[in-house]
Amino acid sequence: MTSSLPPSAPAAAVRLRGLVRRHGDVRALDGVDLDVAAGTFTAVMGPSGSGKSTLLRCAAGLDRPDAGRVEVAGTALEGLSERRLTLLRRDRIGFVFQSFNLLPTLTAAQNVALPLRLAGRRPARGEVRAALARVGLAGRERHRPAELSGGQCQRVAIARALIARPAVLFGDEPTGALDSTTGAEVMDMLRSLVDEEGRTLVMVTHDPLAAARADRVVFLVDGRLAGELVAPTADTVAATLAALRPAGAAAVGAAAVGAAAVGADEGGTGAGARVGAAETAGSAC
């Protein structure tokens, strides 16, 4: 007689338990428990001031919580010295910022290679060129940030975050400074990293259309988890956000989603178009 075991759940790439972070008298995080399965795309949403960016920074080891436990790729962050935490971030964690954070005097290739050189490792022949080609920037290796568009700068930042092959890629509003078309292209690329390469991605966003590209959306309110959606759509995300916001803010958010949907239909930018009037980043990186 044989027995079959149920398939095991994917291992947690990120595990948060009882996470607390205070800013003065305010609890930015108030006992958050969250698991992020390896090879999945999770979006984090909530009203302004809900603790989204604080959660991301604590999970990525950029900020230390006041209480609770953070594990990334099986390594507990509490108790690590600053040096060991720096090494963990360098080797196992990638982070993409809204403002790109590229060094203006370095070329695209030099910006991408910077994490390896800081680690004392010389990039393998063709490694940086391949990283840029993977994000659609073949032939742009010698361009400096001022010579690139906002979307191209963000692609350089993503290539830089991936060059060390991190276990988890964190993104804090990675399309927030981009126009709708460019933002949609970046979201397509992030989605493909999960689908085609098995990357683990955790992204904070205010945009229901961007969040709808994730496998799961978790919602924060006042530093606490307030629910989640699996296989989200822009409509279900927007409706959930509206239920979490005060009435006036919910009406504004609903109007923004409607305007974005009209713009996507008329402009042909597709489901990745950003909500509301987007600010074009131009060539400022």
Side-chain angles (χ1 to χ4, degrees):
M1 180 178 180
T2 60
S3 61
S4 59
L5 296 175
S8 59
V14 180
R15 176 167 288 145
L16 311 178
R17 290 292 181 270
L19 214 60
V20 174
R21 184 69 173 100
R22 301 180 184 88
H23 297 311
D25 296 331
V26 176
R27 281 200 173 203
L29 297 176
D30 191 8
V32 173
D33 293 334
L34 180 66
D35 284 352
V36 176
T40 63
F41 183 176
T42 300
V44 182
M45 301 193 78
S48 295
S50 59
K52 302 183 298 296
S53 291
T54 301
L55 175 71
L56 204 71
R57 291 181 63 84
C58 287
L62 296 174
D63 198 1
R64 290 186 183 267
D66 295 302
R69 182 177 180 86
V70 178
E71 290 183 12
V72 177
T75 299
L77 272 56
E78 71 271 13
L80 291 182
S81 66
E82 286 301 324
R83 180 179 180 276
R84 291 188 64 194
L85 187 58
T86 298
L87 293 176
L88 179 73
R89 288 195 303 261
R90 187 189 71 191
D91 297 335
R92 306 296 289 155
I93 294 171
F95 205 100
V96 179
F97 300 88
Q98 177 178 340
S99 56
F100 318 137
N101 286 4
L102 301 180
L103 295 182
T105 59
L106 300 185
T107 65
Q110 289 168 336
N111 269 287
V112 171
L114 189 60
L116 299 181
R117 294 196 176 278
L118 290 175
R121 180 163 83 82
R122 185 175 182 177
R125 184 176 180 86
E127 184 177 9
V128 171
R129 182 174 297 178
L132 285 167
R134 182 170 50 181
V135 297
L137 291 179
R140 300 280 183 171
E141 297 86 359
R142 296 181 179 275
H143 288 67
R144 288 183 169 79
E147 301 171 304
L148 299 171
S149 69
Q152 289 170 333
C153 285
Q154 192 59 291
R155 288 170 181 265
V156 173
I158 292 169
R160 179 184 60 189
L162 293 173
I163 192 70
R165 298 178 177 84
V168 185
L169 179 64
F170 294 93
D172 193 358
E173 295 279 2
T175 62
L178 305 177
D179 63 84
S180 58
T181 301
T182 305
E185 292 171 353
V186 169
M187 288 307 306
D188 287 342
M189 185 183 61
L190 292 175
R191 182 70 251 182
S192 71
L193 290 173
V194 178
D195 294 339
E196 298 173 13
E197 300 183 22
R199 301 280 186 176
T200 304
L201 175 60
V202 183
M203 174 187 75
V204 162
T205 182
H206 285 89
D207 182 355
L209 293 169
R213 306 300 299 276
D215 301 308
R216 176 175 68 145
V217 182
V218 296
F219 297 91
L220 284 180
V221 175
D222 297 330
R224 300 176 183 175
L225 289 181
E228 69 174 71
L229 291 172
V230 177
T233 67
D235 287 341
T236 58
V237 172
T240 303
L241 278 177
L244 298 177
R245 292 172 175 162
V252 172
V257 172
V262 171
D265 288 341
E266 294 178 353
T269 56
R274 293 188 61 246
V275 174
E279 179 181 356
T280 303
S283 61
C285 300

